[in-house]
Amino acid sequence: MSIEAKILDELLKKCPNQDKLYFDCEEVDGYPKTKTIKYYYEDYIHNLYVDKMYFLHRISFEEANSKKMEVNRFGLKRLSFIASSSALLFNTLGNEYVTEILENNKLPKGKYKIKYENPYPVLNNEVYSSATLKSDDGTIILIDCKFLENLEPIKDISEDYLNPKKYAIYSVDPKIAESFAELYRINVKPDSMYESKKKKYYKPLYNTYDLFRVFNYAFGFLTDYIINKKRAKYKDVKKVILTDVLWHTEKLQPDFLNKDEISFRDKYLIEEYGYVEVKKYFVSMINSIYSAARTHGVNIEFDFEYIPWRDFVDIIKNDDRKKYLDRYNI
């Protein structure tokens, strides 16, 4: 049994609304029952702590259709997956339009407006933050929440990322586009290019931590500011903090993970080590690009933080759902 399956089976035991899970069904929408369908709810709302998602939040998820709300072959929405990172973050931050961060040593405390699934343009596509938090005192927090995603291999990147002319920002500032592309270039393996479905791809230089995702968020935000003329929206912003929130199980004892224990622990530690490396080497590189964009009115500092979900949940004011969130503690 895979690590993922073991974890999902443990999560399943603590799931609320057990009668709403596709657990004992023989057939769903004409498809035979499979090993994985038991990890889904009939409807995503059963995977949330509320009976109804507020309108603007629902719109945000629906607009990000290709990312989170698309229908899979079982006719289910991805938010209905019991290990959905989107559902995890929604249940943590809440259904209100404002959340509160308590005193901590990672993120500025205070009240923040929430927008789930916020898109930021990079090339001709968009990267979606799991949530974007904005305070009145000039701080934006881009949250990249992961549940089991860190167990997946790091994706190769399209050669388009290495070509400055492919960036949406190129027509406005070719030098910034070139700076974007160069940071990707120095982090792909030399001579690793291959072709798939008539597109060319490169393998990452480091296959332990997804640097490209960090770059996508950093450059997507800057592009949104400059190209989409969001200056009024961002006029008081002084700092943007990309925050990697990662769920983790404490069940690392051999009787649970057996021979998989070491590989799973390593994948978790890679997030911690990766955070240190990004903070040490790449944040300054990103900020040099942000500094070059001052001619466009950009006066924003970029930063990066890593917070395990178990710690993140403690710095969010969530008294009304603290007990509910225990479902994720295995």
Side-chain angles (χ1 to χ4, degrees), residues 103-218:
E103 186 73 47
N104 68 97
N105 62 359
K106 289 280 189 177
L107 301 173
K109 70 175 183 178
K111 293 184 177 180
Y112 291 79
K113 296 175 183 176
I114 307 173
K115 179 167 174 49
Y116 291 107
E117 297 298 316
N118 206 28
Y120 295 97
V122 184
L123 303 176
N124 57 354
N125 59 344
E126 295 174 317
V127 58
Y128 285 78
S129 66
S130 304
T132 297
L133 309 184
K134 184 177 184 294
S135 72
D136 290 334
D137 65 355
T139 300
I140 285 183
I141 300 173
L142 309 178
I143 298 179
D144 184 20
C145 185
K146 303 170 190 169
F147 207 133
L148 300 180
E149 288 89 342
N150 66 307
L151 297 179
E152 300 170 1
I154 295 174
K155 293 180 180 178
D156 301 335
I157 65 164
S158 162
E159 69 168 349
D160 289 350
Y161 285 92
L162 281 58
N163 183 353
K165 293 182 179 180
K166 294 291 185 177
Y167 286 90
I169 204 170
Y170 181 80
S171 60
V172 177
D173 196 320
K175 289 184 178 180
I176 290 179
E178 172 58 31
S179 298
F180 285 178
E182 179 61 18
L183 205 46
Y184 286 94
R185 287 191 207 113
I186 64 175
N187 285 288
V188 297
K189 284 184 178 178
D191 305 319
S192 67
M193 191 269 288
Y194 66 93
E195 192 167 331
S196 176
K197 297 180 180 179
K198 298 183 179 180
K199 289 197 70 174
K200 294 177 181 178
Y201 295 88
Y202 285 84
K203 294 188 176 297
L205 184 61
Y206 307 102
N207 60 2
T208 53
Y209 190 79
D210 195 350
L211 274 176
F212 300 142
R213 195 156 176 80
V214 175
F215 299 160
N216 285 351
Y217 278 114

